[in-house]
Amino acid sequence: MTTETTPDMTGNESGAGPKDFIRVKIEEDNASGKYGKRVHTRFPPEPNGYLHIGHAKSICLNFGVAREYGGTCNLRFDDTNPVKEDVEYVESIKNDVRWLGFSWEGHELYASDYFGKLYEFAETLIRNGKAFVDSQSAEEIHATRGTLTEPGKNSPYRDRSEAENLDLFNRMKAGEFPDGAHVLRAKIDMASPNVMMRDPVLYRIRHAHHHRTGDTWCIYPMYDFAHCLSDSIEGITHSLCTLEFENNRELYNWLLAAVGVPTPRPEQTEFARLNVTHMVLSKRKLIQLVREGHVAGWDDPRMPTLSGLRRKGYPPEAIRDFCNRVGVARAAGTVVEYSLLEFCVRERLNAICSRVMAVLDPVKIVIENYPEDRVEWFDMPYFPKEGGGTPEGHAGPESRKVPFGRELYIEREDFLEDAPKKFFRLAPGKEVRLRYAYYVTCTGVVKNAAGEITEIRCTYDPATKGGDSPDGRKVKGTLHWVAASHALPVETRLYEHLFGASEADIPEGGTFLDGINPDSLRVVTAMAEPAVADVKAGDRVQFERLGYFRADEDSAPGKPVFNRTATLKDSWAKEAKKE
Ligand code: ATP
Ligand code: MG
């Protein structure tokens, strides 16, 4: 069996190919000496949900460029909103980043650690005449913002004196006012064509408990204020974020200048978000899926979360490979095909997974001329030659013993009573190879009263032991099988996409929940060869011809539970061609 891989901390996997625009910019900055060749990035998740594959793109980019240019990447929790955040999310995020193969060497940071400094920056702004306390309601502020074509209106409180502003801001902090009574706003330009620059709110009153600062604060900074200043406090050089923050860049730069951050200042650069077919990547929607029980939890293998993909069996190397293949683009990209992700997963798993046999939908075959009490044990390689053989550095046995007997299970779909010409599996009168064992020929079937096949009768040719015919007789089909006497029943979870390819698949007038695929999880009891009994959670195998599987955390000793990670694409076509 193959154990869950440990993160590989070495690789610069994106070295090949043309440089993306972010790496080009970093190299320009290094060449001009802007930051003295320093490259310092950060990955800034808000701990209000679990990380998903979109975050992986940002992680691979931020940690990746830091690694490539000898720099540093901070893991910074952007925890400025006390209402939605939780330590459970903090722990899961750390775990997922580590699992993806990145480390932050003590640079685990929290925006909330800067609340004191941020407060001082706000006072500096007030003293510089660049911020004021507004006592309008949220509705009034919203209503006077103007539109894309019309300027907004100045607040009647805009010209408060410095002393009055400092006093009010201090009393906001001291808890003298209820939520919503006042806000601190930047004093910029209510006529700016960029709506973000129309006296944006910097602080609001929120009498709420924070998961790290407790009840110390009752005013909390807004994202735009906290983010650029956190970048500056940490000495970030390249602040990489997704395109929806493009309009925030002007404010980012304005705030750093307004509080007097010396140059060179951190610079924000935007890149396109990752979107993948069949995947919903909005945190709000993912939270809803979990809270309303549409999935079993954040780590349900149908979720696009890193914990879900991990549990499904996706290796971290495959996710990094996928992110590198998708690349980084400046403009909003197209939606990436899920099949590219599966391709990366298969490519990785094909190299590392041992192969064993199990039958997902068993039907019994009885070999009439095989002695009743006889059991033969065949030695079978975990890594057959046609799969590339045993991988380098593989520890543990290279083969195992598999029992064969008179009664076996094969896959129900591997038999057809009225088989078309091109059906190379078992059918009355036809001969097939049982993998590594014998050639068998079907002599007939037994049916129950409902007309279903309960037993397939066969004869075997003892001269074909090992699965080869001494007289050079060819068979077109090779079937996997499991001896009935030694078969281990295993719970096996088979997955399909949780959603259709795109929102367009949602029925007219429905919400995204109406797009949920009711068949996204199918649980079957497979029959597996006895060697499978020893797997531990996290172990991976290929069930020959059926796909890649990972032993789930729900496994118990001797009672494995498997998640199908991916099917084997085109395995049939290939096998038919080989013969
Ligand atoms: P929210 O709506 O809660 O802000 P978010 O997806 O932006 O959701 P964050 O925790 O703020 O979540 O994201 C952390 C970082 O990951 C941000 O820099 C964000 O730009 C980036 N990120 C989030 N989603 C994607 C995505 N689909 N593709 C690339 N980067 C992403
Ligand atoms: Mg965000």
PDB file of all heavy atoms in Angstrom, residues 385-407:
ATOM      1  N   LYS A 385       4.566  -4.601 -14.300  1.00  0.00           N
ATOM      2  CA  LYS A 385       5.499  -4.035 -15.300  1.00  0.00           C
ATOM      3  C   LYS A 385       4.826  -3.008 -16.198  1.00  0.00           C
ATOM      4  O   LYS A 385       5.378  -1.961 -16.461  1.00  0.00           O
ATOM      5  CB  LYS A 385       6.055  -5.175 -16.170  1.00  0.00           C
ATOM      6  CG  LYS A 385       7.255  -5.880 -15.545  1.00  0.00           C
ATOM      7  CD  LYS A 385       8.063  -6.658 -16.566  1.00  0.00           C
ATOM      8  CE  LYS A 385       7.451  -7.938 -17.088  1.00  0.00           C
ATOM      9  NZ  LYS A 385       6.945  -8.959 -16.201  1.00  0.00           N
ATOM     10  N   GLU A 386       3.592  -3.321 -16.647  1.00  0.00           N
ATOM     11  CA  GLU A 386       2.950  -2.410 -17.612  1.00  0.00           C
ATOM     12  C   GLU A 386       2.605  -1.061 -16.963  1.00  0.00           C
ATOM     13  O   GLU A 386       2.302  -0.101 -17.651  1.00  0.00           O
ATOM     14  CB  GLU A 386       1.709  -3.044 -18.247  1.00  0.00           C
ATOM     15  CG  GLU A 386       0.512  -3.217 -17.330  1.00  0.00           C
ATOM     16  CD  GLU A 386       0.500  -4.562 -16.612  1.00  0.00           C
ATOM     17  OE1 GLU A 386       1.580  -5.189 -16.466  1.00  0.00           O
ATOM     18  OE2 GLU A 386      -0.583  -4.988 -16.193  1.00  0.00           O
ATOM     19  N   GLY A 387       2.640  -1.011 -15.646  1.00  0.00           N
ATOM     20  CA  GLY A 387       2.406   0.270 -14.957  1.00  0.00           C
ATOM     21  C   GLY A 387       3.708   0.959 -14.623  1.00  0.00           C
ATOM     22  O   GLY A 387       3.714   1.957 -13.911  1.00  0.00           O
ATOM     23  N   GLY A 388       4.817   0.425 -15.092  1.00  0.00           N
ATOM     24  CA  GLY A 388       6.100   1.081 -14.848  1.00  0.00           C
ATOM     25  C   GLY A 388       6.934   0.377 -13.786  1.00  0.00           C
ATOM     26  O   GLY A 388       8.049   0.790 -13.491  1.00  0.00           O
ATOM     27  N   GLY A 389       6.371  -0.677 -13.185  1.00  0.00           N
ATOM     28  CA  GLY A 389       7.137  -1.422 -12.189  1.00  0.00           C
ATOM     29  C   GLY A 389       7.177  -0.707 -10.842  1.00  0.00           C
ATOM     30  O   GLY A 389       6.540   0.331 -10.648  1.00  0.00           O
ATOM     31  N   THR A 390       7.922  -1.298  -9.924  1.00  0.00           N
ATOM     32  CA  THR A 390       8.009  -0.738  -8.577  1.00  0.00           C
ATOM     33  C   THR A 390       8.708   0.624  -8.621  1.00  0.00           C
ATOM     34  O   THR A 390       9.786   0.739  -9.182  1.00  0.00           O
ATOM     35  CB  THR A 390       8.806  -1.697  -7.673  1.00  0.00           C
ATOM     36  OG1 THR A 390       8.183  -2.974  -7.735  1.00  0.00           O
ATOM     37  CG2 THR A 390       8.804  -1.215  -6.221  1.00  0.00           C
ATOM     38  N   PRO A 391       8.066   1.669  -8.055  1.00  0.00           N
ATOM     39  CA  PRO A 391       8.699   2.989  -8.104  1.00  0.00           C
ATOM     40  C   PRO A 391       9.980   3.036  -7.276  1.00  0.00           C
ATOM     41  O   PRO A 391      10.103   2.304  -6.292  1.00  0.00           O
ATOM     42  CB  PRO A 391       7.645   3.935  -7.521  1.00  0.00           C
ATOM     43  CG  PRO A 391       6.627   3.080  -6.876  1.00  0.00           C
ATOM     44  CD  PRO A 391       6.779   1.681  -7.378  1.00  0.00           C
ATOM     45  N   GLU A 392      10.870   3.905  -7.694  1.00  0.00           N
ATOM     46  CA  GLU A 392      12.135   4.043  -6.986  1.00  0.00           C
ATOM     47  C   GLU A 392      11.868   4.486  -5.552  1.00  0.00           C
ATOM     48  O   GLU A 392      10.986   5.308  -5.294  1.00  0.00           O
ATOM     49  CB  GLU A 392      12.975   5.119  -7.679  1.00  0.00           C
ATOM     50  CG  GLU A 392      14.416   4.703  -7.880  1.00  0.00           C
ATOM     51  CD  GLU A 392      15.108   5.679  -8.794  1.00  0.00           C
ATOM     52  OE1 GLU A 392      14.898   5.597 -10.026  1.00  0.00           O
ATOM     53  OE2 GLU A 392      15.840   6.521  -8.258  1.00  0.00           O
ATOM     54  N   GLY A 393      12.607   3.916  -4.642  1.00  0.00           N
ATOM     55  CA  GLY A 393      12.475   4.323  -3.246  1.00  0.00           C
ATOM     56  C   GLY A 393      11.275   3.714  -2.538  1.00  0.00           C
ATOM     57  O   GLY A 393      10.979   4.060  -1.404  1.00  0.00           O
ATOM     58  N   HIS A 394      10.576   2.801  -3.211  1.00  0.00           N
ATOM     59  CA  HIS A 394       9.409   2.193  -2.566  1.00  0.00           C
ATOM     60  C   HIS A 394       9.854   1.285  -1.413  1.00  0.00           C
ATOM     61  O   HIS A 394      10.707   0.413  -1.588  1.00  0.00           O
ATOM     62  CB  HIS A 394       8.611   1.381  -3.588  1.00  0.00           C
ATOM     63  CG  HIS A 394       7.542   0.525  -2.965  1.00  0.00           C
ATOM     64  ND1 HIS A 394       6.370   1.060  -2.488  1.00  0.00           N
ATOM     65  CD2 HIS A 394       7.496  -0.802  -2.706  1.00  0.00           C
ATOM     66  CE1 HIS A 394       5.635   0.086  -1.972  1.00  0.00           C
ATOM     67  NE2 HIS A 394       6.295  -1.052  -2.093  1.00  0.00           N
ATOM     68  N   ALA A 395       9.262   1.525  -0.261  1.00  0.00           N
ATOM     69  CA  ALA A 395       9.576   0.682   0.895  1.00  0.00           C
ATOM     70  C   ALA A 395       8.462  -0.344   1.047  1.00  0.00           C
ATOM     71  O   ALA A 395       7.336  -0.096   0.660  1.00  0.00           O
ATOM     72  CB  ALA A 395       9.683   1.541   2.140  1.00  0.00           C
ATOM     73  N   GLY A 396       8.781  -1.489   1.595  1.00  0.00           N
ATOM     74  CA  GLY A 396       7.739  -2.487   1.826  1.00  0.00           C
ATOM     75  C   GLY A 396       7.720  -3.517   0.715  1.00  0.00           C
ATOM     76  O   GLY A 396       8.461  -3.419  -0.266  1.00  0.00           O
ATOM     77  N   PRO A 397       6.859  -4.511   0.883  1.00  0.00           N
ATOM     78  CA  PRO A 397       6.844  -5.631  -0.053  1.00  0.00           C
ATOM     79  C   PRO A 397       6.481  -5.206  -1.472  1.00  0.00           C
ATOM     80  O   PRO A 397       5.738  -4.247  -1.669  1.00  0.00           O
ATOM     81  CB  PRO A 397       5.787  -6.566   0.522  1.00  0.00           C
ATOM     82  CG  PRO A 397       4.973  -5.749   1.456  1.00  0.00           C
ATOM     83  CD  PRO A 397       5.849  -4.648   1.940  1.00  0.00           C
ATOM     84  N   GLU A 398       7.002  -5.942  -2.446  1.00  0.00           N
ATOM     85  CA  GLU A 398       6.702  -5.628  -3.843  1.00  0.00           C
ATOM     86  C   GLU A 398       5.565  -6.474  -4.387  1.00  0.00           C
ATOM     87  O   GLU A 398       5.082  -6.240  -5.481  1.00  0.00           O
ATOM     88  CB  GLU A 398       7.954  -5.839  -4.696  1.00  0.00           C
ATOM     89  CG  GLU A 398       9.042  -4.846  -4.352  1.00  0.00           C
ATOM     90  CD  GLU A 398      10.161  -4.830  -5.375  1.00  0.00           C
ATOM     91  OE1 GLU A 398       9.978  -5.370  -6.482  1.00  0.00           O
ATOM     92  OE2 GLU A 398      11.215  -4.280  -5.034  1.00  0.00           O
ATOM     93  N   SER A 399       5.187  -7.488  -3.606  1.00  0.00           N
ATOM     94  CA  SER A 399       4.078  -8.328  -4.071  1.00  0.00           C
ATOM     95  C   SER A 399       3.324  -8.873  -2.862  1.00  0.00           C
ATOM     96  O   SER A 399       3.762  -8.719  -1.721  1.00  0.00           O
ATOM     97  CB  SER A 399       4.609  -9.481  -4.925  1.00  0.00           C
ATOM     98  OG  SER A 399       5.384 -10.342  -4.104  1.00  0.00           O
ATOM     99  N   ARG A 400       2.206  -9.501  -3.136  1.00  0.00           N
ATOM    100  CA  ARG A 400       1.440 -10.140  -2.061  1.00  0.00           C
ATOM    101  C   ARG A 400       0.830 -11.404  -2.620  1.00  0.00           C
ATOM    102  O   ARG A 400       0.776 -11.617  -3.838  1.00  0.00           O
ATOM    103  CB  ARG A 400       0.384  -9.195  -1.492  1.00  0.00           C
ATOM    104  CG  ARG A 400      -0.907  -9.064  -2.308  1.00  0.00           C
ATOM    105  CD  ARG A 400      -0.722  -8.280  -3.581  1.00  0.00           C
ATOM    106  NE  ARG A 400      -1.969  -8.136  -4.312  1.00  0.00           N
ATOM    107  CZ  ARG A 400      -2.065  -7.751  -5.570  1.00  0.00           C
ATOM    108  NH1 ARG A 400      -0.980  -7.488  -6.272  1.00  0.00           N
ATOM    109  NH2 ARG A 400      -3.247  -7.649  -6.138  1.00  0.00           N
ATOM    110  N   LYS A 401       0.347 -12.268  -1.721  1.00  0.00           N
ATOM    111  CA  LYS A 401      -0.287 -13.515  -2.124  1.00  0.00           C
ATOM    112  C   LYS A 401      -1.800 -13.285  -2.233  1.00  0.00           C
ATOM    113  O   LYS A 401      -2.413 -12.706  -1.342  1.00  0.00           O
ATOM    114  CB  LYS A 401      -0.030 -14.592  -1.070  1.00  0.00           C
ATOM    115  CG  LYS A 401       1.445 -14.894  -0.881  1.00  0.00           C
ATOM    116  CD  LYS A 401       1.881 -16.020  -1.799  1.00  0.00           C
ATOM    117  CE  LYS A 401       3.291 -16.485  -1.467  1.00  0.00           C
ATOM    118  NZ  LYS A 401       4.158 -16.340  -2.640  1.00  0.00           N
ATOM    119  N   VAL A 402      -2.359 -13.778  -3.332  1.00  0.00           N
ATOM    120  CA  VAL A 402      -3.792 -13.618  -3.553  1.00  0.00           C
ATOM    121  C   VAL A 402      -4.421 -14.997  -3.743  1.00  0.00           C
ATOM    122  O   VAL A 402      -3.974 -15.765  -4.592  1.00  0.00           O
ATOM    123  CB  VAL A 402      -4.048 -12.734  -4.797  1.00  0.00           C
ATOM    124  CG1 VAL A 402      -5.537 -12.519  -5.008  1.00  0.00           C
ATOM    125  CG2 VAL A 402      -3.335 -11.397  -4.647  1.00  0.00           C
ATOM    126  N   PRO A 403      -5.444 -15.307  -2.944  1.00  0.00           N
ATOM    127  CA  PRO A 403      -6.053 -16.639  -3.039  1.00  0.00           C
ATOM    128  C   PRO A 403      -6.966 -16.770  -4.252  1.00  0.00           C
ATOM    129  O   PRO A 403      -7.615 -15.812  -4.662  1.00  0.00           O
ATOM    130  CB  PRO A 403      -6.861 -16.744  -1.743  1.00  0.00           C
ATOM    131  CG  PRO A 403      -7.210 -15.336  -1.409  1.00  0.00           C
ATOM    132  CD  PRO A 403      -6.081 -14.480  -1.905  1.00  0.00           C
ATOM    133  N   PHE A 404      -6.986 -18.003  -4.797  1.00  0.00           N
ATOM    134  CA  PHE A 404      -7.859 -18.341  -5.922  1.00  0.00           C
ATOM    135  C   PHE A 404      -8.615 -19.598  -5.541  1.00  0.00           C
ATOM    136  O   PHE A 404      -8.058 -20.490  -4.902  1.00  0.00           O
ATOM    137  CB  PHE A 404      -7.000 -18.603  -7.167  1.00  0.00           C
ATOM    138  CG  PHE A 404      -7.794 -18.897  -8.408  1.00  0.00           C
ATOM    139  CD1 PHE A 404      -8.184 -17.866  -9.243  1.00  0.00           C
ATOM    140  CD2 PHE A 404      -8.134 -20.205  -8.749  1.00  0.00           C
ATOM    141  CE1 PHE A 404      -8.913 -18.132 -10.400  1.00  0.00           C
ATOM    142  CE2 PHE A 404      -8.871 -20.473  -9.907  1.00  0.00           C
ATOM    143  CZ  PHE A 404      -9.266 -19.432 -10.736  1.00  0.00           C
ATOM    144  N   GLY A 405      -9.878 -19.705  -5.909  1.00  0.00           N
ATOM    145  CA  GLY A 405     -10.640 -20.891  -5.551  1.00  0.00           C
ATOM    146  C   GLY A 405     -11.723 -21.179  -6.586  1.00  0.00           C
ATOM    147  O   GLY A 405     -11.790 -20.528  -7.646  1.00  0.00           O
ATOM    148  N   ARG A 406     -12.553 -22.103  -6.270  1.00  0.00           N
ATOM    149  CA  ARG A 406     -13.595 -22.547  -7.202  1.00  0.00           C
ATOM    150  C   ARG A 406     -14.659 -21.451  -7.414  1.00  0.00           C
ATOM    151  O   ARG A 406     -15.215 -21.312  -8.494  1.00  0.00           O
ATOM    152  CB  ARG A 406     -14.239 -23.815  -6.636  1.00  0.00           C
ATOM    153  CG  ARG A 406     -15.364 -24.390  -7.443  1.00  0.00           C
ATOM    154  CD  ARG A 406     -15.906 -25.621  -6.706  1.00  0.00           C
ATOM    155  NE  ARG A 406     -17.255 -25.948  -7.136  1.00  0.00           N
ATOM    156  CZ  ARG A 406     -17.542 -26.805  -8.117  1.00  0.00           C
ATOM    157  NH1 ARG A 406     -16.567 -27.412  -8.758  1.00  0.00           N
ATOM    158  NH2 ARG A 406     -18.792 -27.063  -8.452  1.00  0.00           N
ATOM    159  N   GLU A 407     -14.927 -20.689  -6.332  1.00  0.00           N
ATOM    160  CA  GLU A 407     -15.933 -19.633  -6.456  1.00  0.00           C
ATOM    161  C   GLU A 407     -15.255 -18.277  -6.348  1.00  0.00           C
ATOM    162  O   GLU A 407     -14.492 -18.019  -5.409  1.00  0.00           O
ATOM    163  CB  GLU A 407     -16.992 -19.791  -5.359  1.00  0.00           C
ATOM    164  CG  GLU A 407     -17.721 -21.118  -5.490  1.00  0.00           C
ATOM    165  CD  GLU A 407     -19.050 -21.155  -4.758  1.00  0.00           C
ATOM    166  OE1 GLU A 407     -19.322 -20.217  -3.975  1.00  0.00           O
ATOM    167  OE2 GLU A 407     -19.805 -22.110  -4.977  1.00  0.00           O
TER     168      GLU A 407
END
